[in-house]
Amino acid sequence: MKVLVIGGGAREHALCRSLSLDPDVTALYCAPGNAGIAEVAELHPVDALDGAAVARLATELGAELVVVGPEAPLVAGVADAVRAAGVPCFGPSGKAAQLEGSKAFAKDVMAGAGVPTARSYVCTTAAEIDTALDAFGAPYVVKDDGLAAGKGVVVTDDIEQARAHALACDRVVIEEFLDGPEVSLFAITDGTTVLPLQPAQDFKRALDDDEGPNTGGMGAYSPLPWADPKLVDEVMESVLQPTVDELRRRGTPFSGLLYAGLAITSRGVRVIEFNARFGDPETQVVLARLKTPLAGVLLGSANGTLDELPPLKWHDDAAVTVVIASHNYPDTPRTGDPIEGLDEVAAQDAPHAYVLHAGTRRDGDAVVSAGGRVLSVTATAKDLAGARERAYAAAARIRLDGSQFRTDIAKKAAEA
């Protein structure tokens, strides 16, 4: 199978790494990719938001499966253009991707499906914003209705900060605060059959002890030793399958990756948000644990044949990923700094620890930073403590001026 992956972050590097290890994949392409992905896939330039250009590239390469990684191309309808060109595509239609593209749409779908979630108001005026903030009280949860690259949510006790964020959005969803730990659960679906993956937990705040501003994610781990063993079955029954069924009932079938961000509250599981693609950095740890070859599962989603596949198989090992971010992330990150130590990790830590590139590019012989989140250092071991140790040992070899990373990823879970 010839596979084309669209995107250029650590999620796409994780996907390309898994696909490169799949014996059924005979050729692997990525567009536009990054410096790390270039080591496992042939890179091609493309405007990832231009559906016609992506479809044309897929046809020229003879791709038998296209995997669209990021959310913006999915919401823009890139998967529709690829399918219209006759190429199987992993990823939802533009209409179905509104599950991530619009928080208000997602709330409406959840209401129709009877999916448990936070009570909320959709606001477009200052008066509506003030009414909603007053109704729920602190802590205030304010979400930009549209795509915001994982940084459109503010959770604060400061009503002025909450109001300022709300007023800066064209349309905003204000909702009640959900207590309890958060869990990410991915599921691969073809619009009817739903295959849940293993749950993970990510760390959104920039600094240790969940301090600092929200980010796209500073690290993740899997499995979750503290979680109820029945959690996946419960979420399948109360969230994932009803959502897929509701979208199909509406004439907007969802095929691809359905991501449920969950809060395990004192009143039970509640959905915080849906995403329409693999989450970053949770993908890095979930795919590190997946034993079943990836390409056939993604193709089954694209072709509507997931019900014919055997159950997914998983490694018993735990996985931890630590994100190395550039100077000043998540504000205006500095880019263009040389990255050193990658060869040392490859020589001394592989195969148990490896580096997935997020925001990098080639500059002559050097690899330099090209984004806010630069690298995801991922490691596996028989337990979380061992995976943490390996991930941080590898991260310590990386030299990037002004870079930052959290030192407490999976710490509480490993010590529990």
Side-chain angles (χ1 to χ4, degrees):
M1 193 193 314
K2 295 181 178 180
V3 183
L4 168 63
V5 176
I6 302 301
R11 162 188 46 229
E12 288 77 34
H13 194 175
L15 287 164
C16 285
R17 180 182 182 273
S18 290
L19 290 166
S20 73
L21 298 172
D22 187 331
D24 288 337
V25 176
T26 53
L28 181 59
Y29 311 103
C30 186
N34 63 38
I37 295 173
E39 297 176 13
V40 294
E42 182 180 299
L43 301 192
H44 291 266
V46 78
D47 178 356
L49 295 173
D50 185 338
V54 172
R56 192 162 53 247
L57 177 62
T59 303
E60 289 169 359
L61 293 172
E64 293 154 286
L65 174 66
V66 173
V67 179
V68 182
E71 60 272 26
L74 291 168
V75 172
V78 167
D80 302 270
V82 172
R83 279 191 277 269
V87 182
C89 186
F90 179 80
S93 66
K95 285 184 177 178
Q98 285 300 310
L99 201 62
E100 177 170 4
S102 167
K103 305 288 190 300
F105 176 78
K107 289 289 188 182
D108 189 58
V109 170
M110 283 188 266
V115 168
T117 186
R119 293 178 299 122
S120 63
Y121 292 98
V122 179
C123 307
T124 56
T125 69
E128 289 173 345
I129 288 166
D130 288 341
T131 298
L133 292 173
D134 184 56
F136 290 130
Y140 305 100
V141 181
V142 184
K143 299 181 176 181
D144 190 335
D145 180 57
L147 293 180
K151 296 188 282 288
V153 179
V154 165
V155 181
T156 179
D157 289 321
D158 183 341
I159 191 167
E160 292 306 320
Q161 183 187 0
R163 191 169 190 273
H165 181 64
L167 289 170
C169 305
D170 289 334
R171 186 158 79 148
V172 68
V173 174
I174 296 173
E175 62 184 40
E176 67 176 326
F177 178 76
L178 296 174
D179 64 320
E182 295 184 13
V183 172
S184 299
L185 185 61
F186 301 161
I188 293 173
T189 178
D190 56 12
T192 302
T193 300
V194 181
L195 288 184
L197 306 187
Q198 289 291 310
Q201 186 174 56
D202 78 331
F203 294 75
K204 288 291 187 198
R205 298 285 185 171
L207 307 175
D208 284 6
D209 299 319
D210 291 327
E211 299 286 338
N214 254 359
T215 72
M218 294 298 291
Y221 69 95
S222 180
L224 312 181
W226 50 268
D228 187 326
K230 298 176 188 158
L231 175 65
V232 174
D233 290 340
E234 180 187 340
V235 175
M236 265 291 291
E237 186 178 328
S238 66
V239 175
L240 298 171
Q241 192 71 56
T243 300
V244 169
D245 292 346
E246 173 68 10
L247 284 163
R248 189 175 66 252
R249 185 187 69 76
R250 291 176 177 224
T252 315
F254 187 106
S255 72
L257 194 290
L258 178 58
Y259 164 120
L262 308 164
I264 313 301
T265 77
S266 54
R267 293 170 294 145
V269 173
R270 296 289 185 273
V271 174
I272 300 168
E273 64 175 352
F274 283 126
N275 289 339
R277 39 74 197 181
F278 278 102
D280 181 349
E282 300 98 319
T283 301
Q284 289 86 302
V285 292
V286 172
L287 292 185
R289 299 186 57 224
L290 180 63
K291 187 184 287 188
T292 300
L294 184 61
V297 183
L298 303 186
L299 186 65
S301 165
N303 286 341
T305 55
L306 282 182
D307 61 333
E308 299 172 13
L309 297 183
L312 297 177
K313 294 183 179 176
W314 297 90
H315 294 290
D316 291 331
D317 283 2
V320 170
T321 195
V322 176
V323 171
I324 297 178
S326 56
H327 176 73
N328 207 38
Y329 178 77
D331 292 325
T332 307
R334 192 174 77 205
T335 60
D337 289 314
I339 302 165
E340 298 176 340
L342 296 171
D343 291 342
E344 293 170 36
V345 175
Q348 299 184 50
D349 300 286
H352 301 297
Y354 48 89
V355 179
L356 298 169
H357 292 228
T360 69
R361 62 179 175 83
R362 278 269 170 202
D363 184 5
D365 292 334
V367 176
V368 301
S369 60
R373 291 186 295 172
V374 182
L375 304 167
S376 285
V377 182
T378 304
T380 56
K382 66 178 176 34
D383 57 26
L384 283 174
R388 283 190 85 243
E389 189 176 330
R390 285 174 172 170
Y392 280 109
R397 302 189 204 281
I398 304 295
R399 295 177 295 283
L400 171 62
D401 187 49
S403 64
Q404 54 178 315
F405 59 83
R406 284 183 58 158
T407 64
D408 62 345
I409 303 301
K411 187 171 187 288
K412 287 180 182 174
E415 292 172 350

